[in-house]
Amino acid sequence: MFKIDLFSSKKALEGFILFQFTIVMISILVSYKIAYSMTHIIEQNIVLNLLLGIIGFAVVYFLHEFIHNIMFRMFSKGNKPTYQIRLGLMTTHMPNVYFKKWQYISIMLAPFVIITTAIFILFSFFAYSSFIFIACFHIGYCVLDLYFLSGAFNKNVQLIEDTEDGIIFYTKASLQDLQIEAK
């Protein structure tokens, strides 16, 4: 058994936020390059891009957590997830419910796939540059989900629990220990 808890270390959290910021900046550069090669972008000034990007991301943020909620409910057979606000961010958790690896991977990747695809479809019809900013802010936020997902790729992990205190990954050995203690 091992646990990932990003919020317990201030230094680790600061480093992670810096990493997210870097991902956002790289995503904006790459997205602009790709978009310019594929279509004519309706360019807006940087202030409007940032303003609409932040407002759009606020909407996308709640949609992102809503998709996690739906996925948690779907894989837990109707149990309701809990919400927690940490450092100004609302997060969705499902304590006391254990997910298989493929279920947890689906839960974590669903918002990234659904929202990013929807934004790029919108961009194909309305090529405003602010959509690039919204998508890139969302990609930067999804790095948090990918970080939490990193432990699921350990070959020994069998079950995963998403608690308010962090993500707990149960390995084959820890599951055997839990069964021994239960007897």
Side-chain angles (χ1 to χ4, degrees):
M1 177 173 84
F2 62 95
K3 181 178 174 182
I4 294 179
D5 182 13
L6 183 65
F7 295 105
S8 64
S9 169
K10 183 178 179 183
K11 189 172 184 170
L13 184 61
E14 289 171 353
F16 190 79
I17 290 170
L18 183 59
F19 178 68
Q20 283 182 302
F21 180 74
T22 304
I23 294 295
V24 168
M25 292 297 114
I26 291 170
S27 297
I28 289 171
L29 291 172
V30 170
S31 296
Y32 259 100
K33 186 75 171 168
I34 293 170
Y36 271 122
S37 69
M38 299 177 119
T39 188
H40 173 71
I41 298 175
I42 302 168
E43 191 61 54
Q44 299 162 305
N45 68 42
I46 188 69
V47 174
L48 192 58
N49 278 335
L50 288 173
L51 181 66
L52 292 176
I54 291 169
I55 292 169
F57 174 68
V59 172
V60 165
Y61 171 76
F62 287 104
L63 184 59
H64 179 106
E65 292 302 323
F66 178 73
I67 292 169
H68 278 314
N69 182 318
I70 296 299
M71 295 297 288
F72 273 129
R73 286 175 189 244
M74 186 171 76
F75 288 124
S76 69
K77 299 178 179 101
N79 291 341
K80 292 183 181 180
T82 61
Y83 296 98
Q84 184 178 22
I85 297 179
R86 282 181 140 177
L87 304 172
L89 294 174
M90 179 183 69
T91 55
T92 309
H93 305 285
M94 186 64 85
N96 303 318
V97 177
Y98 305 94
F99 298 100
K100 296 175 185 170
K101 285 168 86 165
W102 71 269
Q103 291 173 323
Y104 192 72
I105 290 169
S106 299
I107 291 167
M108 289 292 109
L109 290 180
F112 174 74
V113 171
I114 293 168
I115 293 172
T116 305
T117 302
I119 291 171
F120 283 119
I121 289 171
L122 277 172
F123 182 77
S124 70
F125 291 106
F126 310 102
Y128 290 103
S129 57
S130 55
F131 279 120
I132 293 173
F133 279 72
I134 295 168
C136 292
F137 290 159
H138 182 251
I139 289 168
Y141 181 67
C142 287
V143 170
L144 183 64
D145 290 340
L146 297 176
Y147 174 72
F148 290 145
L149 194 60
S150 64
F153 294 111
N154 181 320
K155 67 179 180 180
N156 295 321
V157 169
Q158 297 293 304
L159 297 175
I160 301 163
E161 181 184 11
D162 191 333
T163 69
E164 289 94 354
D165 297 325
I167 313 302
I168 301 172
F169 298 92
Y170 295 95
T171 60
K172 294 175 186 177
S174 64
L175 287 174
Q176 292 170 353
D177 291 342
L178 289 174
Q179 292 171 352
I180 292 170
E181 289 176 11
K183 290 181 181 179

